[in-house]
Amino acid sequence: MTEKQVPFTKNQLEQIIEKHPTPFHIYDEKAILENARSIKKTFSWNEGFKEFFAVKACPNPYLMKMLKSEGFGSDCSSLPELLLSERVGITGEEIMFSSNDTPAEEFVKAKELGGIINLDDITHLPFLEEHAGLPDLICMRYNPGPLKDGNVIIGKPEEAKYGFTREQLFEGYRIARDKGVKRFGLHTMVASNELDAAYFVETAEILFNLVVDISQELGIRFEFVNIGGGIGIPYKLDQRPVDLNVVSSGVRDRYEKIIATNGLAPLAIYMECGRMITGPFGYLVTRVRHIKNTYKKFAGVDATMSDLMRPAIYGAYHHITVMGKENAPHDTVYDVTGSLCENIDKFAVARSLPALEPGDLLVIHDTGAHGYAMGFNYNGKLRSAELLLRENGDVLQIRRAETVNDYFATLDFDGLAHFTV
Ligand SMILES: *Cc1c(COP(=O)(O)O)cnc(C)c1O
């Protein structure tokens, strides 16, 4: 493959821009819904299967509501994410609350909403009891430590700040059982943006074996395992998506061998993916503002790393399509930059592209997850709008662009009148 597809033509895009100036992220509703349906179908052999969309990946109520309509819940890890879910009507056990270093008020809100509380540490058990009371259902996050290799984004599990050790899990479930907790789940997440299907099968296998060991030792019954998020997407042209059929059939095989044979079925399988749910179906649209030739060639665009941080912070590759020049030779090498006063504010470094000129429209791919969401206001850069390309071709603005008033909203200019130096 030499090019990635975009869900609009250059003419359609120019029409969208007449109403919605660049830069903006635009999400493809049809593709997101088709992908959601296909995930559900792939795991339908497991009766309780459920995906909880990781809200942090793309915290927009329209997308959350679309995914809710497909039976997805939400995976939250902060008070605003819990409140966002509540506003969208995602409550009760449609919420997975997978937080860490958690403040008391977040446990209180998660419990009030009836969400599934996924504890990150054994000391959170008495902390939760003190501040919110123990719920009927509790989940704990396992950190397998040196048992499992991590990957670049999360790092080695034993270095990671997340989760319980194996010994702490036995202790934690014992304490919870003795305090009257009746329903149990088990979670882990040790990789991010992982493209190897076998990795997720192995994760499920580790959790299934633990379910057997803990159930037998403590006489408790697990309702679900949550295999976490972290399924990767092919950002690069030579990468392939994770084959979910391979994940599903591998997990099913281990389920039969480990869970069913030990009489522990039914056990629901939960996932809390963000990236693979919306990532490939979002595009950052930006226009070339200036072309600069010094020691290198720079194409300065009207978006900045406040719209998409991944290239700057992880050196991540995001493919770029130059609209209308799809078939032109990629014979010119550019750094594609934003206007932030940080030299890392680049969407691409030394990228071969068709010769560019001011006014060219660039589509930066795979921005539907951890794109807009990671944005910030450093250097007074304002975050872009988010648009939804509807199934019928209409375009709906689902978040307006920030204005200077938003940037000033936390400042008190009236107070300044009383301030003397
Ligand atoms: C970030 C995160 C996710 C989602 O990760 P993706 O890579 O977007 O799938 C899920 N669960 C937890 C606990 C996370 O921190």
Side-chain angles (χ1 to χ4, degrees):
M1 191 174 26
T2 54
E3 197 41 273
K4 285 194 176 218
Q5 301 302 308
V6 290
F8 33 66
T9 63
K10 184 170 184 234
N11 278 341
Q12 284 168 331
L13 197 54
E14 290 288 8
Q15 278 172 22
I16 294 169
I17 292 168
E18 278 176 22
K19 271 184 83 178
H20 306 281
T22 56
F24 54 77
H25 289 268
I26 184 164
Y27 308 117
D28 181 349
E29 179 180 39
K30 180 164 180 275
I32 292 172
L33 289 173
E34 281 173 1
N35 183 50
R37 286 168 196 150
S38 147
I39 293 166
K40 259 194 328 199
K41 194 156 163 254
T42 306
F43 287 90
S44 59
W45 60 267
N46 181 261
E47 220 174 285
F49 174 81
K50 193 169 179 76
E51 150 71 16
F52 297 79
F53 175 60
V55 175
K56 77 165 189 252
C58 201
N60 190 294
Y62 285 81
L63 301 182
M64 290 165 69
K65 195 168 171 186
M66 269 164 58
L67 293 168
K68 175 180 159 63
S69 74
E70 294 302 319
F72 286 17
S74 55
D75 175 54
C76 304
S77 58
S78 67
L79 187 59
E81 289 180 358
L82 287 169
L83 296 170
L84 194 51
S85 298
E86 184 179 28
R87 288 282 289 269
V88 176
I90 300 176
T91 57
E93 289 177 15
E94 308 263 278
I95 293 177
M96 180 69 62
F97 184 57
S98 294
S99 61
N100 69 92
D101 189 22
T102 315
E105 71 266 23
E106 297 190 354
F107 278 139
V108 170
K109 185 66 193 179
K111 172 119 185 294
E112 177 198 313
L113 287 172
I116 302 173
I117 296 180
N118 183 18
L119 295 178
D120 181 66
D121 185 49
I122 190 155
T123 64
H124 294 189
L125 200 55
F127 185 81
L128 173 65
E129 184 178 23
E130 178 189 343
H131 294 281
L134 291 180
D136 292 341
L137 167 63
I138 217 146
C139 182
M140 299 186 200
R141 178 171 188 166
Y142 176 46
N143 181 330
L147 271 186
K148 190 144 170 77
D149 295 331
N151 72 4
V152 270
I153 297 186
I154 286 211
K156 287 184 167 180
E158 65 265 44
E159 307 272 338
K161 65 173 178 170
Y162 309 113
F164 293 53
T165 66
R166 181 179 166 95
E167 292 68 32
Q168 288 172 337
L169 277 184
F170 281 82
E171 167 100 16
Y173 286 110
R174 185 193 314 277
I175 294 170
R177 177 199 68 186
D178 292 347
K179 288 186 176 287
V181 175
K182 292 277 178 300
R183 304 170 54 208
F184 299 94
L186 174 65
H187 167 262
T188 197
M189 169 158 173
V190 287
S192 183
N193 195 26
E194 176 59 56
L195 285 171
D196 181 1
Y199 199 94
F200 299 97
V201 176
E202 188 188 303
T203 300
E205 182 173 340
I206 288 175
L207 290 179
F208 292 160
N209 281 318
L210 254 177
V211 162
V212 172
D213 294 349
I214 299 172
S215 312
Q216 286 176 353
E217 175 152 334
L218 300 178
I220 61 174
R221 237 199 74 70
F222 281 87
E223 290 186 13
F224 68 85
V225 294
N226 177 349
I227 63 174
I231 296 184
I233 60 172
Y235 288 100
K236 295 182 181 160
L237 292 176
D238 61 357
Q239 292 174 324
R240 302 263 63 86
V242 174
D243 186 340
L244 288 183
N245 289 307
V246 172
V247 176
S248 174
S249 63
V251 171
R252 185 176 191 172
D253 170 72
R254 306 308 188 279
Y255 184 94
E256 297 301 337
K257 288 190 177 121
I258 304 168
I259 294 300
T261 54
N262 280 290
L264 297 174
L267 178 74
I269 297 184
Y270 292 170
M271 280 188 338
E272 50 183 31
C273 287
R275 190 184 313 272
M276 72 119 163
I277 307 298
T278 52
F281 316 115
Y283 306 84
L284 174 58
V285 178
T286 182
R287 219 186 259 288
V288 176
R289 189 185 274 151
H290 299 290
I291 299 293
K292 170 169 179 164
N293 283 299
T294 52
Y295 304 101
K296 290 182 103 173
K297 281 189 166 53
F298 299 99
V301 300
D302 60 7
T304 71
M305 66 183 282
S306 57
D307 301 306
L308 178 68
M309 300 256 277
R310 298 188 71 262
I313 63 176
Y314 307 127
Y317 180 91
H318 280 260
H319 192 70
I320 296 176
T321 296
V322 184
M323 295 303 289
K325 296 187 178 175
E326 291 84 348
N327 300 316
H330 286 43
D331 57 3
T332 315
V333 177
Y334 294 98
D335 281 11
V336 178
T337 81
S339 58
L340 211 134
C341 298
E342 274 287 346
N343 197 45
I344 58 170
D345 181 20
K346 294 179 178 174
F347 295 106
V349 174
R351 181 78 55 91
S352 294
L353 292 169
L356 296 174
E357 52 211 305
D360 274 341
L361 271 180
L362 306 190
V363 173
I364 302 177
H365 290 256
D366 303 306
T367 70
H370 313 294
Y372 179 92
M374 288 175 117
F376 65 145
N377 284 129
Y378 183 50
N379 213 180
K381 299 301 174 188
L382 304 174
R383 276 166 290 200
S384 73
E386 294 181 293
L387 309 179
L388 184 65
L389 177 63
R390 305 298 312 269
E391 289 203 74
N392 65 8
D394 290 350
V395 170
L396 184 67
Q397 177 172 285
I398 57 175
R399 185 195 299 264
R400 67 165 172 78
E402 285 179 338
T403 65
V404 173
N405 283 340
D406 297 314
Y407 184 74
F408 285 177
T410 50
L411 298 172
D412 178 6
F413 287 101
D414 295 336
L416 202 55
H418 309 291
F419 177 75
T420 49
V421 277

